[in-house]
């Protein structure tokens, strides 16, 4: 932050003698001063420097105590929260809390830009046989910041949709469209502009006209309470037969998004109330339940269990709720590959489902993302969620 300079001038004023005036003469002979008092013994003193060293030591002790108190204030809530997540990971999921055949898979852009072939679709069909995957989110964007979408972004869409419908009957192919969003990203999509929202609606109609079964939107970062996003969803409902969205995580603590936004400038989470407002406006909502900053599998799984319960509590029964599974590997502050694993996520999903709404039919998982997935990811998904060898 820049500081405005504000110097103050304080010129000195000095009484100078007049050089043309003679000095005054003494009026009388001055009386000599009385004899000074005899000095007594000096006061007792300790060793030189002792008091200053004691003062510095006392100051350091106070600073240390205050530092410890501040650390306790900051770390104690975190320790309590992490302990709660570990406890949340305990116990056994209820029997029957497995796939409801409403799962989804995010597919990269290579499927619509000409890089994939008929052989790839055949291999994909074999991969997905006997799983619970019903929806494919195929990256057909990104959207331009003004909401438009060039048709050149998805030249092979019609071929892919036809091939999938032929080899995987009943599987829906949705156009995955996304962009960065203001105000956190100023050079991005501005949803507060009606002309931008209208252009997004027109883009949705455009991809539906190209043959897609629906549209899946991933606009980030969306701040909790964004009314412009809700207005966009309301306008999109009549534009597509199937409206799906990727959703931010829900506050793990009340109003946590406000605290985190103040500290970091990135509020990351949505309030549970806002999540419910979004869920009521769409046919399908997929929680991006990864990139959680959790350092251990047990903490990550407990976090996913909590997120599953929070989402179930506010998602209408006629809206499909999907919890994201991390089919990728990264190591950075927000995502630790050794912690955010498919087995931990699936166990967390099953625990949350068991505790909140074990019989819910409109529920599934969403796998992110096809081009980063490993054989271990697919094996864990089949073994732990689909229950097939």
């Amino acid at each position: 932050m820049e500081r405005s300079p504000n110097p103050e001038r304080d010129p000195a004023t000095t009484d100078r003698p007049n050089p043309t005036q003679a000095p005054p003469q003494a009026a009388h002979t001055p009386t000599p001063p009385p004899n000074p008092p005899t000095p007594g013994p000096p006061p007792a003193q300790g060793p030189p420097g002792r008091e200053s060293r004691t003062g510095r030591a006392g100051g350091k002790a106070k600073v240390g105590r205050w530092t410890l108190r501040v650390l306790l204030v900051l770390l104690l809530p975190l320790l309590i929260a992490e302990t709660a997540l570990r406890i949340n990971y305990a116990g056994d999921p209820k029997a029957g809390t497995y796939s409801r055949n409403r799962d989804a898979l995010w597919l990269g852009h290579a499927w619509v830009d000409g890089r994939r072939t008929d052989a790839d679709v055949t291999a994909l069909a074999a991969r997905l046989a006997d799983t619970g995957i019903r929806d494919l989110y195929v990256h057909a964007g990104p959207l331009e910041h003004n909401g438009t979408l060039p048709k050149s972004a998805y030249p092979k869409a019609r071929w892919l949709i036809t091939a999938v419908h032929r080899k995987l009957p009943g599987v829906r192919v949705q156009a995955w469209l996304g962009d960065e969003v203001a105000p956190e990203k100023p050079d991005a999509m501005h949803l507060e502009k009606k002309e931008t929202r209208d252009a997004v609606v027109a883009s949705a109609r455009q991809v539906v006209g190209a043959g897609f079964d629906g549209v899946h939107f991933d606009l980030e970062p969306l701040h909790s309470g964004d009314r412009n996003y809700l207005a966009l969803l309301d306008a999109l409902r009549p534009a597509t037969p199937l409206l799906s969205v990727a959703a931010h995580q829900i506050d793990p603590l009340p109003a946590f998004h406000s605290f985190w936004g103040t500290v970091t400038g990135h509020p990351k989470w949505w309030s549970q109330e806002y999540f419910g407002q979004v869920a009521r406006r769409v046919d399908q909502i997929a929680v991006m339940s990864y990139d959680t900053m959790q350092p251990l599998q047990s903490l990550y799984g407990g976090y996913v269990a909590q997120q599953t319960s929070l989402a179930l509590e506010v998602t209408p029964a006629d809206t499909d709720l999907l919890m994201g599974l991390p089919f990728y590997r990264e190591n950075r502050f927000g995502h630790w590959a050794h912690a955010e694993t498919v087995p931990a996520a699936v166990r967390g999903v099953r625990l949350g489902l068991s505790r909140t709404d074990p019989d819910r039919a409109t529920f599934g998982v969403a796998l992110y993302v096809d081009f980063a997935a490993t054989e271990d990811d697919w094996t864990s998904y089949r073994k732990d969620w689909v229950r097939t060898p």
Side-chain angles (χ1 to χ4, degrees):
M1 178 178 178
E2 294 183 357
R3 301 179 64 181
S4 301
N6 187 25
E8 293 185 3
R9 294 185 179 181
D10 186 15
T13 56
T14 305
D15 293 328
R16 299 179 183 274
N18 189 339
T20 62
Q21 183 178 355
Q25 299 295 321
H28 61 276
T29 302
T31 303
N35 293 330
T38 302
Q45 296 182 356
R50 178 177 180 181
E51 183 177 282
S52 60
R53 287 200 300 270
T54 303
R56 286 197 298 270
K60 290 180 180 179
K62 289 180 180 179
V63 171
R65 287 194 296 269
W66 276 107
T67 301
L68 180 60
R69 290 172 184 171
V70 170
L71 288 175
L72 286 175
V73 168
L74 293 176
L75 294 179
L76 187 58
L78 177 62
L79 180 61
I80 293 173
E82 295 293 81
T83 301
L85 293 181
R86 180 61 185 87
I87 294 172
N88 212 29
Y89 195 60
D92 295 319
K94 288 187 176 180
T97 51
Y98 302 112
S99 177
R100 275 81 163 127
N101 297 315
R102 291 176 181 263
D103 303 335
L105 170 65
W106 277 281
L107 293 176
H109 200 80
W111 290 94
V112 292
D113 67 3
R115 284 177 284 170
R116 296 293 188 177
T117 66
D118 286 329
D120 292 313
V121 177
T122 299
L124 178 65
R127 170 76 76 184
L128 302 185
D130 301 321
T131 68
I133 292 177
R134 186 179 68 159
D135 287 285
L136 299 177
Y137 305 142
V138 185
H139 191 265
L143 292 164
E144 300 292 331
H145 290 343
N146 63 5
T148 60
L149 177 66
K151 292 183 180 180
S152 59
Y154 50 94
K156 300 286 286 184
R158 181 72 68 175
W159 160 81
L160 174 68
I161 297 164
T162 301
V164 169
H165 285 170
R166 182 177 66 251
K167 296 188 178 185
L168 288 167
V171 172
R172 304 179 297 192
V173 184
Q174 300 189 45
W176 167 15
L177 304 179
D179 193 20
E180 292 183 323
V181 182
E184 189 173 327
K185 304 281 186 177
D187 183 21
M189 181 179 289
H190 285 257
L191 293 179
E192 74 276 11
K193 298 180 179 180
K194 186 177 183 302
E195 59 268 27
T196 300
R197 300 198 302 271
D198 290 344
V200 174
V201 174
S203 296
R205 290 196 175 99
Q206 179 180 312
V207 293
V208 170
F212 284 100
D213 298 307
V215 189
H216 175 80
F217 284 95
D218 179 16
L219 302 177
E220 301 180 48
L222 278 168
H223 291 184
S224 183
D226 190 328
R227 305 301 303 179
N228 298 311
Y229 181 57
L230 298 182
L232 173 63
L233 296 179
D234 289 337
L236 283 168
R237 284 306 293 265
T240 173
L242 176 60
L243 178 57
S244 173
V245 296
H248 291 17
Q249 298 159 29
I250 301 174
D251 279 335
L253 298 171
F256 194 69
H257 70 276
S258 297
F259 164 77
W260 195 257
T262 300
V263 173
T264 67
H266 172 52
K268 185 176 173 67
W269 291 271
W270 286 351
S271 71
Q272 189 183 36
E273 178 185 8
Y274 186 68
F275 186 97
Q277 291 172 349
V278 173
R280 290 193 292 273
R281 287 170 164 82
V282 299
D283 301 300
Q284 191 178 68
I285 186 166
V287 184
M288 295 180 285
S289 42
Y290 33 76
D291 294 346
T292 66
M293 298 180 285
Q294 298 304 318
L296 301 173
Q297 284 196 59
S298 58
L299 300 179
Y300 172 62
Y303 183 90
V304 173
Q306 181 200 44
Q307 288 291 309
T308 302
S309 293
L310 291 171
L312 282 167
E313 289 171 357
V314 293
T315 302
D318 58 351
T319 298
D320 283 346
L321 171 63
L322 281 66
M323 303 302 297
L325 301 185
F327 270 45
Y328 65 100
R329 300 288 185 279
E330 285 185 3
N331 283 299
R332 50 184 170 80
F333 173 69
H335 181 103
W336 302 108
H338 67 272
E340 298 197 15
T341 65
V342 174
V346 170
R347 177 175 166 79
V349 167
R350 293 188 61 211
L351 286 168
L353 183 64
S354 298
R355 294 163 182 163
T356 312
D357 193 357
D359 298 322
R360 181 179 174 116
T362 52
F363 184 85
V365 296
L367 322 179
Y368 183 85
V369 57
D370 76 303
F371 55 81
T374 66
E375 287 301 323
D376 286 343
D377 294 332
W378 284 106
T379 298
S380 296
Y381 163 68
R382 283 178 169 275
K383 172 176 168 289
D384 298 335
W385 179 247
V386 184
R387 303 295 287 178
T388 59

